């Protein structure tokens, strides 16, 4: 039979053996290499869409030396520019002119109106008008001048 000292020694030895066994089982093995995925991405060069600058488009031109008006013109409500050139035809330096862009259906003589541009001396120039979308016509009144008046809309 085993005495109590022998039994204690055997129990301690058994505990160490069991602990060593468990430690061997629970110890992490060599960590495996992480899985590496390589994706090849093809770069596609994208071009920004071309942004075209707005262009001035002629909608009416009158050239002459007396009062006249254009046929109906249609404006889309964009920026509208009137360019003009008045040349003294009298030789006295005394000219007068007026430029109107009137709503279709109105009559300057019966409805009245204020000119978009008044001319009192020879020269060229331009002005920007703010007109709503709709139908209009160009009217030019002039005395002692040859002129060219153009209405353009930015599109």
């Amino acid at each position: 039979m085993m005495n109590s000292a022998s039994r204690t020694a055997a129990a301690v030895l058994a505990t160490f053996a069991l602990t060593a066994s468990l430690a061997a089982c629970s110890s992490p093995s060599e960590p495996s290499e992480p899985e590496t995925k390589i994706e090849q991405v093809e770069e596609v060069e994208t071009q920004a869409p071309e942004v075209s600058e707005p262009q001035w488009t002629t909608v009416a031109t009158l050239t002459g030396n007396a009062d006249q008006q254009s046929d109906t013109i249609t404006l889309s409500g964009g920026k509208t520019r009137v360019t003009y050139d008045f040349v003294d035809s009298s030789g006295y330096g005394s000219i007068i002119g007026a430029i109107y862009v009137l709503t279709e259906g109105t009559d300057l003589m019966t409805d009245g109106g204020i000119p978009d541009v008044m001319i009192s001396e020879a020269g060229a120039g331009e002005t920007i008008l703010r007109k709503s979308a709709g139908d209009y016509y160009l009217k030019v009144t002039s005395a002692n001048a040859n002129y060219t008046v153009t209405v353009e809309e930015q599109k």
Side-chain angles (χ1 to χ4, degrees), residues 59-75:
V59 292
T61 299
L62 291 177
T63 300
N65 59 9
D67 297 355
Q68 27 175 351
Q69 62 187 19
S70 72
D71 197 358
T72 302
I73 59 175
T74 300
L75 299 176

PDB file of all heavy atoms in Angstrom, residues 59-75:
ATOM      1  N   VAL A  59     -30.719  86.570 -83.725  1.00  0.00           N
ATOM      2  CA  VAL A  59     -32.143  86.321 -83.949  1.00  0.00           C
ATOM      3  C   VAL A  59     -32.771  87.380 -84.860  1.00  0.00           C
ATOM      4  O   VAL A  59     -33.812  87.125 -85.455  1.00  0.00           O
ATOM      5  CB  VAL A  59     -32.931  86.198 -82.619  1.00  0.00           C
ATOM      6  CG1 VAL A  59     -32.530  84.949 -81.873  1.00  0.00           C
ATOM      7  CG2 VAL A  59     -32.755  87.393 -81.732  1.00  0.00           C
ATOM      8  N   ALA A  60     -32.141  88.556 -84.987  1.00  0.00           N
ATOM      9  CA  ALA A  60     -32.645  89.579 -85.906  1.00  0.00           C
ATOM     10  C   ALA A  60     -31.555  90.612 -86.177  1.00  0.00           C
ATOM     11  O   ALA A  60     -30.773  90.936 -85.293  1.00  0.00           O
ATOM     12  CB  ALA A  60     -33.872  90.273 -85.329  1.00  0.00           C
ATOM     13  N   THR A  61     -31.524  91.106 -87.413  1.00  0.00           N
ATOM     14  CA  THR A  61     -30.614  92.199 -87.790  1.00  0.00           C
ATOM     15  C   THR A  61     -31.375  93.149 -88.711  1.00  0.00           C
ATOM     16  O   THR A  61     -32.050  92.698 -89.641  1.00  0.00           O
ATOM     17  CB  THR A  61     -29.362  91.669 -88.516  1.00  0.00           C
ATOM     18  OG1 THR A  61     -28.648  90.802 -87.644  1.00  0.00           O
ATOM     19  CG2 THR A  61     -28.434  92.803 -88.936  1.00  0.00           C
ATOM     20  N   LEU A  62     -31.265  94.432 -88.431  1.00  0.00           N
ATOM     21  CA  LEU A  62     -31.823  95.456 -89.313  1.00  0.00           C
ATOM     22  C   LEU A  62     -30.696  96.388 -89.729  1.00  0.00           C
ATOM     23  O   LEU A  62     -29.913  96.840 -88.888  1.00  0.00           O
ATOM     24  CB  LEU A  62     -32.921  96.266 -88.611  1.00  0.00           C
ATOM     25  CG  LEU A  62     -34.233  95.547 -88.295  1.00  0.00           C
ATOM     26  CD1 LEU A  62     -35.179  96.485 -87.539  1.00  0.00           C
ATOM     27  CD2 LEU A  62     -34.902  95.040 -89.560  1.00  0.00           C
ATOM     28  N   THR A  63     -30.629  96.673 -91.016  1.00  0.00           N
ATOM     29  CA  THR A  63     -29.643  97.612 -91.551  1.00  0.00           C
ATOM     30  C   THR A  63     -30.411  98.610 -92.410  1.00  0.00           C
ATOM     31  O   THR A  63     -31.251  98.211 -93.220  1.00  0.00           O
ATOM     32  CB  THR A  63     -28.594  96.874 -92.422  1.00  0.00           C
ATOM     33  OG1 THR A  63     -27.936  95.913 -91.599  1.00  0.00           O
ATOM     34  CG2 THR A  63     -27.558  97.829 -92.983  1.00  0.00           C
ATOM     35  N   GLY A  64     -30.135  99.899 -92.217  1.00  0.00           N
ATOM     36  CA  GLY A  64     -30.846 100.883 -93.018  1.00  0.00           C
ATOM     37  C   GLY A  64     -30.524 102.299 -92.624  1.00  0.00           C
ATOM     38  O   GLY A  64     -29.527 102.558 -91.950  1.00  0.00           O
ATOM     39  N   ASN A  65     -31.393 103.240 -93.060  1.00  0.00           N
ATOM     40  CA  ASN A  65     -31.220 104.650 -92.747  1.00  0.00           C
ATOM     41  C   ASN A  65     -32.551 105.327 -92.467  1.00  0.00           C
ATOM     42  O   ASN A  65     -32.640 106.538 -92.462  1.00  0.00           O
ATOM     43  CB  ASN A  65     -30.469 105.374 -93.874  1.00  0.00           C
ATOM     44  CG  ASN A  65     -31.193 105.270 -95.192  1.00  0.00           C
ATOM     45  OD1 ASN A  65     -32.321 104.803 -95.258  1.00  0.00           O
ATOM     46  ND2 ASN A  65     -30.540 105.706 -96.254  1.00  0.00           N
ATOM     47  N   ALA A  66     -33.598 104.537 -92.270  1.00  0.00           N
ATOM     48  CA  ALA A  66     -34.923 105.071 -91.946  1.00  0.00           C
ATOM     49  C   ALA A  66     -35.582 104.109 -90.947  1.00  0.00           C
ATOM     50  O   ALA A  66     -35.050 103.042 -90.655  1.00  0.00           O
ATOM     51  CB  ALA A  66     -35.764 105.184 -93.215  1.00  0.00           C
ATOM     52  N   ASP A  67     -36.757 104.494 -90.455  1.00  0.00           N
ATOM     53  CA  ASP A  67     -37.470 103.650 -89.490  1.00  0.00           C
ATOM     54  C   ASP A  67     -37.816 102.302 -90.129  1.00  0.00           C
ATOM     55  O   ASP A  67     -38.263 102.248 -91.272  1.00  0.00           O
ATOM     56  CB  ASP A  67     -38.774 104.329 -89.057  1.00  0.00           C
ATOM     57  CG  ASP A  67     -38.535 105.650 -88.342  1.00  0.00           C
ATOM     58  OD1 ASP A  67     -37.362 106.001 -88.094  1.00  0.00           O
ATOM     59  OD2 ASP A  67     -39.521 106.332 -88.020  1.00  0.00           O
ATOM     60  N   GLN A  68     -37.632 101.230 -89.367  1.00  0.00           N
ATOM     61  CA  GLN A  68     -38.039  99.904 -89.826  1.00  0.00           C
ATOM     62  C   GLN A  68     -38.258  98.967 -88.644  1.00  0.00           C
ATOM     63  O   GLN A  68     -37.850  99.277 -87.520  1.00  0.00           O
ATOM     64  CB  GLN A  68     -37.090  99.238 -90.813  1.00  0.00           C
ATOM     65  CG  GLN A  68     -35.691  99.559 -90.826  1.00  0.00           C
ATOM     66  CD  GLN A  68     -34.890  98.686 -91.806  1.00  0.00           C
ATOM     67  OE1 GLN A  68     -35.333  97.711 -92.391  1.00  0.00           O
ATOM     68  NE2 GLN A  68     -33.663  99.062 -91.976  1.00  0.00           N
ATOM     69  N   GLN A  69     -38.907  97.852 -88.936  1.00  0.00           N
ATOM     70  CA  GLN A  69     -39.117  96.839 -87.906  1.00  0.00           C
ATOM     71  C   GLN A  69     -38.930  95.460 -88.518  1.00  0.00           C
ATOM     72  O   GLN A  69     -39.112  95.262 -89.713  1.00  0.00           O
ATOM     73  CB  GLN A  69     -40.483  96.991 -87.256  1.00  0.00           C
ATOM     74  CG  GLN A  69     -41.662  96.817 -88.179  1.00  0.00           C
ATOM     75  CD  GLN A  69     -42.966  97.164 -87.470  1.00  0.00           C
ATOM     76  OE1 GLN A  69     -42.991  97.832 -86.449  1.00  0.00           O
ATOM     77  NE2 GLN A  69     -44.082  96.699 -88.019  1.00  0.00           N
ATOM     78  N   SER A  70     -38.575  94.505 -87.652  1.00  0.00           N
ATOM     79  CA  SER A  70     -38.308  93.136 -88.099  1.00  0.00           C
ATOM     80  C   SER A  70     -39.594  92.313 -88.088  1.00  0.00           C
ATOM     81  O   SER A  70     -40.628  92.748 -87.585  1.00  0.00           O
ATOM     82  CB  SER A  70     -37.297  92.465 -87.169  1.00  0.00           C
ATOM     83  OG  SER A  70     -37.898  92.164 -85.912  1.00  0.00           O
ATOM     84  N   ASP A  71     -39.483  91.135 -88.611  1.00  0.00           N
ATOM     85  CA  ASP A  71     -40.535  90.141 -88.475  1.00  0.00           C
ATOM     86  C   ASP A  71     -40.507  89.657 -87.021  1.00  0.00           C
ATOM     87  O   ASP A  71     -39.623  90.041 -86.240  1.00  0.00           O
ATOM     88  CB  ASP A  71     -40.264  88.982 -89.451  1.00  0.00           C
ATOM     89  CG  ASP A  71     -41.494  88.114 -89.693  1.00  0.00           C
ATOM     90  OD1 ASP A  71     -42.556  88.369 -89.079  1.00  0.00           O
ATOM     91  OD2 ASP A  71     -41.391  87.158 -90.491  1.00  0.00           O
ATOM     92  N   THR A  72     -41.423  88.797 -86.645  1.00  0.00           N
ATOM     93  CA  THR A  72     -41.483  88.266 -85.279  1.00  0.00           C
ATOM     94  C   THR A  72     -40.222  87.471 -84.972  1.00  0.00           C
ATOM     95  O   THR A  72     -39.751  86.676 -85.790  1.00  0.00           O
ATOM     96  CB  THR A  72     -42.712  87.340 -85.126  1.00  0.00           C
ATOM     97  OG1 THR A  72     -43.878  88.088 -85.450  1.00  0.00           O
ATOM     98  CG2 THR A  72     -42.819  86.803 -83.718  1.00  0.00           C
ATOM     99  N   ILE A  73     -39.680  87.717 -83.786  1.00  0.00           N
ATOM    100  CA  ILE A  73     -38.541  86.930 -83.298  1.00  0.00           C
ATOM    101  C   ILE A  73     -38.979  86.246 -81.995  1.00  0.00           C
ATOM    102  O   ILE A  73     -39.805  86.773 -81.260  1.00  0.00           O
ATOM    103  CB  ILE A  73     -37.276  87.789 -83.062  1.00  0.00           C
ATOM    104  CG1 ILE A  73     -37.538  88.898 -82.043  1.00  0.00           C
ATOM    105  CG2 ILE A  73     -36.762  88.367 -84.364  1.00  0.00           C
ATOM    106  CD1 ILE A  73     -36.313  89.721 -81.657  1.00  0.00           C
ATOM    107  N   THR A  74     -38.457  85.059 -81.758  1.00  0.00           N
ATOM    108  CA  THR A  74     -38.798  84.316 -80.541  1.00  0.00           C
ATOM    109  C   THR A  74     -37.580  84.266 -79.640  1.00  0.00           C
ATOM    110  O   THR A  74     -36.504  83.840 -80.063  1.00  0.00           O
ATOM    111  CB  THR A  74     -39.262  82.886 -80.891  1.00  0.00           C
ATOM    112  OG1 THR A  74     -40.405  82.980 -81.739  1.00  0.00           O
ATOM    113  CG2 THR A  74     -39.637  82.109 -79.637  1.00  0.00           C
ATOM    114  N   LEU A  75     -37.766  84.716 -78.408  1.00  0.00           N
ATOM    115  CA  LEU A  75     -36.696  84.663 -77.409  1.00  0.00           C
ATOM    116  C   LEU A  75     -37.047  83.588 -76.388  1.00  0.00           C
ATOM    117  O   LEU A  75     -38.221  83.417 -76.031  1.00  0.00           O
ATOM    118  CB  LEU A  75     -36.526  86.020 -76.721  1.00  0.00           C
ATOM    119  CG  LEU A  75     -36.144  87.194 -77.628  1.00  0.00           C
ATOM    120  CD1 LEU A  75     -36.113  88.496 -76.825  1.00  0.00           C
ATOM    121  CD2 LEU A  75     -34.801  86.942 -78.285  1.00  0.00           C
TER     122      LEU A  75
END
